Amino acid sequence: MFSGIVQGIAEVVSIKGSDNDKQISFTFPKDFALTNGDSISINGVCLTVVSIKKSIFTVDISGETNKITTFSHISIGDKVNIEPSLKLGDSISGHFLSGHVDGVVQIKSIESSGNSMVVSFNIPPELKPFITRKGSVGIDGVSLTVNSVNEECFNLNIIPYTKENTIIGNYSLSDLVNIEIDIIARYIEKQLVYKLDSLSHKKVIK
C-alpha cells in the first residue's frame, strides 16, 4: 500500500528480456533506503525489488503488467517516480494507492495557471464512473485531486512543488501515463453492482 507522495525520482539504466518477461534496472537516490524483497511503487505500479547493486535496483515486469501500464514503451534514460511501501504508523499525506494500475490515459492538453499548470487527460469509458470533481486519482503514482471533469476529459491542477519533485514537470502533450482510481470508489461500485444483481435475482425468483 502507498500514499501517493513520491519520495524520489529514479532513472532507467537497463532493460532486459521480452514483453512477456522483462527485467528493468534503475538508479535511485542515495537517501532512498531499499532492501531485496521490498515493495516499491514505480510510476504507480507496485513491484518487488529483486536485486540491489550499489545505487542500482532491479525489478521484474510480468507480461500482464507490461500490457496494461506504460512499462510497455519505457526506454533507457526515462525518469520515474518512486515511493516505498507504507509502514505501520506512517503519515498518510495523500490517499491510499494499491499500486494496481487500472490502465493508461493520454495527456490532451497542458496549460499554465499562474505558477501551477493544468493538465487534461482523456477518460477511458470503463473509468468514467470513478472519476469525479474533487475526487482522488493516482497519476504515475502521484496522489492528486480532480479539478474538473466532463464527458471526455478530466483536469488536474499541478502545484509548483509537485512539478519540481515528480516527473509530472516533464510531461508533454500526448504522453501516456498510468492511472489508478480511488480504491474506495472501486469497492463501493463493486458492492452496488452486487446489490443490484442480488435484487434482480430475487425479482426473477418471485
Side-chain angles (χ1 to χ4, degrees), residues 100-205:
H100 302 154
V101 168
D102 292 289
V104 171
V105 293
Q106 186 175 44
I107 296 175
K108 308 305 290 184
S109 68
I110 301 175
E111 299 178 358
S112 296
S113 178
N115 292 325
S116 300
M117 68 180 190
V118 177
V119 186
S120 177
F121 305 84
N122 74 299
I123 305 179
E126 66 274 15
L127 298 185
K128 280 185 179 181
F130 305 101
I131 300 176
T132 183
R133 183 174 179 270
K134 301 306 178 185
S136 296
V137 66
I139 296 293
D140 276 344
V142 183
S143 173
L144 296 165
T145 301
V146 177
N147 214 30
S148 62
V149 60
N150 57 43
E151 284 299 310
E152 298 180 352
C153 299
F154 67 95
N155 300 323
L156 303 174
N157 188 78
I158 310 300
I159 63 173
Y161 182 88
T162 303
K163 286 195 299 180
E164 295 167 6
N165 291 278
T166 73
I167 65 169
I168 291 178
N170 297 323
Y171 280 174
S172 299
L173 194 63
S174 298
D175 279 354
L176 297 175
V177 301
N178 296 319
I179 182 172
E180 181 182 340
I181 59 173
D182 185 11
I183 191 170
I184 296 175
R186 182 188 292 133
Y187 281 115
I188 290 174
E189 190 266 351
K190 179 69 174 179
Q191 288 298 315
L192 288 173
V193 170
Y194 176 80
K195 186 68 174 178
L196 290 172
D197 286 347
S198 178
L199 290 173
S200 297
H201 181 66
K202 288 179 180 178
K203 288 181 179 179
V204 170
I205 293 176

Side-chain angles (χ1 to χ4, degrees), residues 91-105:
S91 173
I92 309 298
S93 297
H95 75 283
F96 282 124
L97 291 170
S98 66
H100 302 154
V101 168
D102 292 289
V104 171
V105 293

